[in-house]
Amino acid sequence: MTYKTKGTCSSQIDFDLKDGKVYNVRFTGGCNGNLKGIGALVEGQDARDVINRLEGTTCGFKSTSCPDQLAKALKEALNQ
């Protein structure tokens, strides 16, 4: 799935969702090393667990963050 982010330095998140688990998370833009780390940490994890951990995370003065946007993307994917 491809998700266009809103309000973050990254502009897009690509990932696969198989049997409710998250795979191959790739961010376009943003803090490269940190986002690769997030992708590695959530690899193979249950999407609902990832949402519970990341949803609501903010970045500086922003009301969202790349992890929060990943949670939103996963929610959207689960609802399709």
Side-chain angles (χ1 to χ4, degrees), residues 9-61:
C9 297
S10 66
S11 59
Q12 178 175 304
I13 306 169
D14 295 289
F15 61 93
D16 297 319
L17 197 59
K18 297 177 189 165
D19 298 322
K21 300 205 182 291
V22 182
Y23 298 98
N24 304 315
V25 175
R26 297 167 312 282
F27 289 83
T28 301
C31 303
N32 188 291
N34 290 333
L35 297 175
K36 283 180 183 175
I38 289 170
L41 289 170
V42 303
E43 181 74 15
Q45 298 296 311
D46 184 271
R48 287 177 181 79
D49 289 340
V50 173
I51 291 165
N52 288 335
R53 288 187 190 112
L54 300 181
E55 188 172 40
T57 303
T58 59
C59 182
F61 62 88

